[in-house]
Amino acid sequence: MVPPPPPVAAVPAPPPVVAAAPAVDPLRALSERIIAGVAGVQPSRLVAVFPALSPSTATAGVRASAMGDRISRAIADGIRQRLPGVDVPTFGNLQTLILQVGNRGLCDILAPEDPFFLADRIGAEVVVMGKIRPAIDDRSLRLLRLQVEYEARDLRTGASIAVAMHAYSGDDPAAAALNRELELAGEWVVGAYAPAFTPSLERELELVTYRMVRRILASAGPALAGKRLAVAPVRTETFNDLALDDFIRAFNEERRSFAQRANGWKGVDVNEQALDMGPVTLMGTSFATLRDARDRLRVLIRESRVSVSAQLSGDLTNRVAEEARRQAGAAFEVSLSIDDRREIENFIAREGRIVEETGTIDPATIAQLRTKGGEFLLVGWFACKEYCYELSGYLLDMATGQRVGAPAGGALDARLTDEIKKRF
């Protein structure tokens, strides 16, 4: 009988082959983080996505690249998918908005932060902007590091919504290919090489007026609800003429002095009595009575009103009034006619309080102005500060003469200064 063969040890089965997980694309992860951040704040109208910018050695400013364009397009596409009802302009559409609404050109993109200011000008709720910065060894010209950074910022609050960054080391195989893509020109030509752009004065005034009124009304909060707002004539440089201001100040001082000496028992207002008192000398000119001085003051004011600067004041006043009326809606009333505004032209002192008018009405008129429609007064001025013009304003409570909320304003582009001086 043949003995059985010895037992053979069982050979274990080979383990199942598991496919390696695909490497996560860091740029895709970066894009997803920005997209999620934008979707999280639920913008309802407009998200502006700008191409990422890189340093420009030729201009010492910034430039666009094919790499930055590609990443921004991917982010914009992702936002559109997450927020189908929101407008997400890029490149051509975004440039049109910058030109026509923002009143700026691509030549105004000179620094990485400039997209934020341009997005604000076009009324975007959220802006997405990026920076791509290569670090190159000066001697060997070898790539040491390539850093990609994107940020989404809420323009309604100024807060950063999301920041995503990834840095490639120079010896990373992907870095060399990305750097070659970075060297390719982007769709936009920005900064010094972009076509020159001349802003429109009309559009600039519209935008600055809108912003000034919006900020003043927002600062006032619920104080205006159900009230009547009057718009004072916007003071221009002619209205701030020092000689006229000095004459006004001297007239007020003399009238107060004469009123203190008047007889309050005569049954005639002491300010009216003061007008018939004299003689008086104002700024080197002698007058038989204060009433004669008042007549001279009226002539000076009338000459100011018919000046070119006064025409500018009238135009700006109408702009401010119409913008306030548009933004008010049904929340409060914007009143006071052009004729009524003349009665308050000189009610604004340097400290921002309402003071007695200088000749056409008596001090009791502040009460009359309230009955005519002004419970609050929007005071504005337009003047050249250093190298650009500014439109600014604040709100006054007509009952107390105190400011309500905070002053607000904005500067017009310095490129418009010469045009404004030539026209006005």
Side-chain angles (χ1 to χ4, degrees):
M1 182 175 183
V2 178
V8 178
V11 178
V17 178
V18 178
V24 177
D25 180 358
L27 294 184
R28 181 178 180 83
L30 177 149
S31 301
E32 290 295 336
R33 188 176 304 174
I34 297 298
I35 294 167
V38 174
V41 298
Q42 292 295 306
S44 60
R45 295 182 297 101
L46 182 64
V47 175
V49 179
F50 283 77
L53 301 174
S54 301
S56 171
T57 55
T59 65
V62 293
R63 67 177 186 87
S65 67
M67 178 184 175
D69 289 3
R70 175 172 62 85
I71 301 172
S72 292
R73 283 194 177 92
I75 292 174
D77 290 342
I79 295 173
R80 293 187 188 103
Q81 293 175 6
R82 296 283 294 272
L83 302 170
V86 176
D87 189 13
V88 188
T90 54
F91 299 98
N93 292 335
L94 183 57
Q95 182 178 359
T96 299
L97 284 175
I98 293 171
L99 293 170
Q100 296 184 357
V101 179
N103 200 29
R104 292 293 184 268
L106 297 186
C107 59
D108 292 299
I109 301 179
L110 301 169
E113 192 72 7
D114 287 337
F116 173 80
F117 300 107
L118 293 177
D120 186 39
R121 292 184 69 88
I122 67 175
E125 295 166 286
V126 174
V127 60
V128 175
M129 48 192 184
K131 294 178 286 188
I132 304 176
R133 292 175 288 185
I136 307 293
D137 184 275
D138 292 336
R139 294 181 178 180
S140 65
L141 300 181
R142 184 172 61 88
L143 178 66
L144 303 176
R145 178 184 173 91
L146 182 63
Q147 180 168 310
V148 183
E149 180 179 342
Y150 267 79
E151 179 185 8
R153 197 178 298 178
D154 193 328
L155 286 121
R156 297 165 293 187
T157 63
S160 181
I161 299 169
V163 176
M165 187 271 289
H166 182 76
Y168 294 88
S169 64
D171 54 6
D172 188 323
L178 291 173
N179 192 48
R180 286 192 295 271
E181 187 182 12
L182 180 64
E183 292 174 351
L184 298 176
E187 184 173 327
W188 276 5
V189 177
V190 301
Y193 289 112
F197 176 78
T198 302
S200 161
L201 178 57
E202 179 69 20
R203 289 178 182 167
E204 194 79 351
L205 285 172
E206 288 179 1
L207 181 61
V208 172
T209 302
Y210 162 77
R211 288 183 159 197
M212 182 193 79
V213 173
R214 182 186 64 180
R215 290 168 181 168
I216 289 175
L217 299 185
S219 178
L224 286 171
K227 302 294 184 180
R228 296 188 304 273
L229 172 68
V231 178
V234 174
R235 291 178 66 98
T236 57
E237 291 187 315
T238 295
F239 286 120
N240 287 325
D241 180 81
L242 294 179
L244 179 58
D245 285 349
D246 288 342
F247 196 100
I248 289 171
R249 194 175 301 107
F251 177 89
N252 280 330
E253 291 174 356
E254 292 295 338
R255 183 163 69 173
R256 280 192 291 267
S257 177
F258 284 136
Q260 290 173 1
R261 288 184 273 163
N263 188 348
W265 295 96
K266 283 187 175 182
V268 180
D269 183 81
V270 293
N271 290 286
E272 186 65 26
Q273 293 182 51
L275 292 176
D276 292 321
M277 299 172 70
V280 62
T281 300
L282 300 179
M283 305 305 296
T285 303
S286 298
F287 301 93
T289 66
L290 194 63
R291 190 180 299 276
D292 294 335
R294 185 190 66 174
D295 293 341
R296 175 56 184 162
L297 179 57
R298 284 176 170 172
V299 172
L300 294 176
I301 294 175
R302 189 178 303 113
E303 290 174 351
S304 175
R305 285 178 184 154
V306 299
S307 69
V308 175
S309 184
Q311 296 175 25
L312 172 62
S313 174
D315 176 65
L316 293 174
T317 304
N318 290 334
R319 288 176 182 273
V320 172
E322 288 304 315
E323 186 58 42
R325 193 170 288 115
R326 188 188 68 80
Q327 294 189 30
F332 57 89
E333 180 184 355
V334 179
S335 60
L336 212 65
S337 69
I338 295 294
D339 291 335
D340 295 328
R341 288 180 193 151
R342 291 173 183 156
E343 298 182 4
I344 56 177
E345 280 182 349
N346 299 299
F347 265 63
I348 302 107
R350 290 174 184 263
E351 292 75 23
R353 295 177 179 273
I354 297 177
V355 297
E356 66 178 6
E357 203 269 351
T358 59
T360 55
I361 54 175
D362 61 46
T365 303
I366 186 171
Q368 298 174 17
L369 288 171
R370 291 202 302 272
T371 61
K372 285 184 177 182
E375 294 175 279
F376 289 85
L377 184 66
L378 199 163
V379 178
W381 66 92
F382 185 75
C384 189
K385 303 273 184 78
E386 295 181 354
Y387 55 86
C388 62
Y389 276 83
E390 292 184 8
L391 177 64
S392 304
Y394 54 84
L395 205 62
L396 291 176
D397 187 333
M398 293 286 281
T400 65
Q402 300 293 325
R403 289 186 183 180
V404 179
L412 280 72
D413 193 284
R415 287 169 289 187
L416 295 168
T417 299
D418 288 342
E419 180 181 353
I420 295 172
K421 289 182 175 180
K422 289 177 182 176
R423 289 177 56 178
F424 303 111

